[in-house]
């Protein structure tokens, strides 16, 4: 019995060491996207669910990885912060100040930002102070609005901010088919529409709205991934989430779900390394 206890203890210690090590690592995942709507090649990186994490002093390792990708745009579909911890606001702000030196940054809110629209939340005022500083950096915040990419007017970037009710724990709240048409600007003509939408549960709705490609996060890769099967549990506590991580296609439109770069509450990543998403866009020949 004592041997069994010792073995279990050692396994537990090794697991803790492994997870602490794993949470200091990330990888770059490359995607190639081709569309007849594009006139020229373009490059972007997607940074999702950083949650105040740092990779190296002042996030230097992550910043260097972004620089190596040489992006023309940096896309952030939410959750740079943890709503309960105001120290993550300063970490995110410091990171954004460096990101804008690399390329234009487009940022839409995830559930952790949206939660702080509630004046009753303890970090309500620090959050809005953070947002004012973010705006001063030149970061473009897009919440239910669109903007044309200055370097390529055929590209339009839209950010979706969903009400916090769409992040209910334990289930996926139904969304009416016409909901996004009321919430978001209408896609325009022949533009290539990029949508930043934190919650991937509504991938079909994003495609139906008209997004040529949607970038999501939120599920953190599913916390625990089973090789050959996929994720076991989402941060919303739904089992085997359909849109856990990777590339999906709906109605001829693409959805890419990032495994994210940080964690909160459940600080584990089992066969589920954090990722920086690197996108190369090409015109269809």
């Amino acid at each position: 019995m004592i041997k069994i206890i010792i073995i279990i203890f050692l396994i537990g210690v090794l697991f803790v060491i492994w997870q602490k090590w794993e949470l200091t690592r990330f990888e770059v995942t490359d995607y190639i996207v081709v569309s007849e709507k594009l006139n020229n090649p373009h490059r972007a990186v997607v940074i999702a669910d950083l949650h105040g994490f740092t990779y190296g002093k002042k996030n230097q390792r992550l910043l260097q990885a972004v620089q190596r990708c040489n992006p023309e745009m940096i896309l952030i579909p939410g959750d740079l912060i943890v709503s309960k911890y105001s120290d993550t606001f300063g970490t995110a702000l410091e990171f954004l100040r460096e990101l804008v030196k690399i390329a234009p940054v487009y940022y839409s809110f995830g559930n952790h930002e949206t939660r702080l629209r509630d004046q009753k939340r303890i970090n309500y005022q620090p959050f809005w102070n953070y947002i004012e500083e973010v705006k001063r950096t030149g970061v473009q915040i897009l919440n239910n609005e669109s903007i044309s990419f200055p370097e390529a007017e055929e590209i339009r970037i839209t950010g979706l901010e969903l009400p916090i009710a769409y992040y209910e724990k334990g289930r996926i709240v139904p969304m009416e088919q016409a909901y996004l048409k009321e919430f978001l600007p209408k896609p325009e003509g022949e533009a290539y529409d990029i949508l930043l939408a934190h919650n991937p549960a509504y991938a079909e709705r994003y495609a139906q709205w008209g997004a040529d490609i949607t970038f999501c996060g939120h599920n953190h890769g599913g916390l625990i991934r089973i090789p050959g099967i996929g994720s076991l549990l989402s941060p919303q506590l739904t089992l085997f989430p359909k849109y856990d991580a990777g590339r999906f296609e709906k109605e001829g439109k693409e959805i890419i779900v990032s495994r994210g770069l940080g964690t909160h509450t459940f600080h584990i990543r089992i066969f589920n390394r954090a990722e920086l998403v690197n996108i190369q866009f090409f015109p269809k020949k």
Side-chain angles (χ1 to χ4, degrees), residues 164-178:
I164 202 66
Y166 283 96
Y167 294 97
E168 188 174 324
K169 295 290 186 186
R171 75 186 189 101
I172 297 173
V173 177
M175 178 185 286
E176 295 294 329
Q177 187 169 347

Side-chain angles (χ1 to χ4, degrees), residues 123-189:
N123 285 325
Y124 171 81
Q125 194 55 56
F127 171 73
W128 289 104
N129 293 340
Y130 155 74
I131 290 300
E132 286 304 312
E133 290 299 320
V134 169
K135 290 177 180 177
R136 290 190 183 98
T137 69
V139 169
Q140 182 72 54
I141 296 176
L142 296 173
N143 288 324
N144 305 324
E145 54 190 321
S146 302
I147 190 170
S148 293
F149 181 55
E151 302 301 319
E153 291 190 358
E154 78 268 21
I155 295 176
R156 197 175 73 142
I157 304 168
T158 301
L160 169 66
E161 182 190 13
L162 287 174
I164 202 66
Y166 283 96
Y167 294 97
E168 188 174 324
K169 295 290 186 186
R171 75 186 189 101
I172 297 173
V173 177
M175 178 185 286
E176 295 294 329
Q177 187 169 347
Y179 182 80
L180 293 183
K181 293 181 180 178
E182 299 174 6
F183 238 69
L184 294 177
K186 184 180 179 181
E188 293 179 1

Side-chain angles (χ1 to χ4, degrees), residues 93-149:
L93 179 60
E94 185 176 50
F95 182 57
L96 288 169
R97 283 174 174 154
E98 295 303 313
L99 279 182
V100 295
K101 298 175 184 177
I102 300 172
V105 178
Y106 302 89
Y107 176 15
S108 67
F109 286 1
N111 54 304
H112 278 261
E113 288 94 356
T114 297
R115 190 175 291 137
L116 290 170
R117 288 192 180 278
D118 183 350
Q119 295 185 19
K120 296 178 183 177
R121 293 279 178 174
I122 191 169
N123 285 325
Y124 171 81
Q125 194 55 56
F127 171 73
W128 289 104
N129 293 340
Y130 155 74
I131 290 300
E132 286 304 312
E133 290 299 320
V134 169
K135 290 177 180 177
R136 290 190 183 98
T137 69
V139 169
Q140 182 72 54
I141 296 176
L142 296 173
N143 288 324
N144 305 324
E145 54 190 321
S146 302
I147 190 170
S148 293
F149 181 55

Side-chain angles (χ1 to χ4, degrees), residues 44-65:
V45 296
V46 179
I47 296 170
D49 300 284
L50 187 62
H51 288 301
F53 263 52
T54 56
Y55 292 93
K57 187 177 181 181
K58 295 186 177 181
N59 254 319
Q60 282 303 307
R61 286 199 288 122
L62 182 53
L63 286 165
Q64 287 167 6

Side-chain angles (χ1 to χ4, degrees), residues 6 8 31 36-37 47 80 99 103 111 118 171 190 194 200 214 222 237 257 276 280-281 284:
I6 292 172
I8 292 172
Y31 291 95
E36 60 188 11
K37 290 185 176 182
I47 296 170
L80 278 185
L99 279 182
N111 54 304
D118 183 350
R171 75 186 189 101
E190 299 302 314
I194 295 174
T214 303
L237 305 181
V257 183
L276 173 69
Q280 294 186 70
F281 296 98
K284 190 173 184 178

